[in-house]
Amino acid sequence: RIAAMHAPDRVGIRASEHLTYRDFPTLADHSDGVGTIYTMNYAFSDDYEGGEFYILSKEDPETGDIKRHVIKPQKYDALVFLGGRYLHGVQEITGGTREMFSTEFWAFPDSPFGTSLWTN
């Protein structure tokens, strides 16, 4: 059973970050947390080797077989997906620099400027 989704114009920004992956060559399977509804990843680069984005989904409800959907976004592409619902990650980057901007949206208003989710 799928829960009702929030309309994109009714969500607020939960977190935004600029990711260069300079200190880590891969990003293991994860979700963006139960509070995240949508995640948007915006590609600033595509001149790297490896580093494909993937998302995992149940292909067959009876067997529970997992399918890995893989995509390598081109520069200036945006990926929008249900980041709190699906496991996803980044395959190993084998050359160059993968640069993305990621924003998570949730069912609450944006945090006021100058505040932090971790301290308020």
Side-chain angles (χ1 to χ4, degrees), residues 37-88:
I37 298 169
Y38 305 106
T39 298
M40 184 199 70
N41 290 336
Y42 183 79
F44 286 152
S45 66
D46 62 6
D47 57 347
Y48 54 90
E49 290 90 49
E52 293 86 356
F53 171 84
Y54 65 86
I55 190 166
L56 305 176
S57 67
K58 287 188 178 179
E59 183 68 13
D60 185 340
E62 292 180 18
T63 65
D65 288 343
I66 303 295
K67 179 153 178 131
R68 181 184 286 236
H69 306 272
V70 179
I71 186 170
K72 184 175 181 181
Q74 295 180 9
K75 190 174 185 177
Y76 307 130
D77 280 354
L79 304 173
V80 180
F81 59 99
L82 304 176
R85 183 179 294 178
Y86 293 104
L87 291 176
H88 56 279

Side-chain angles (χ1 to χ4, degrees), residues 17-35:
E17 57 189 335
H18 176 238
L19 302 167
T20 62
Y21 300 87
R22 286 189 181 112
D23 296 327
F24 50 98
T26 187
L27 193 54
D29 300 352
H30 69 282
S31 74
D32 294 330
V34 293

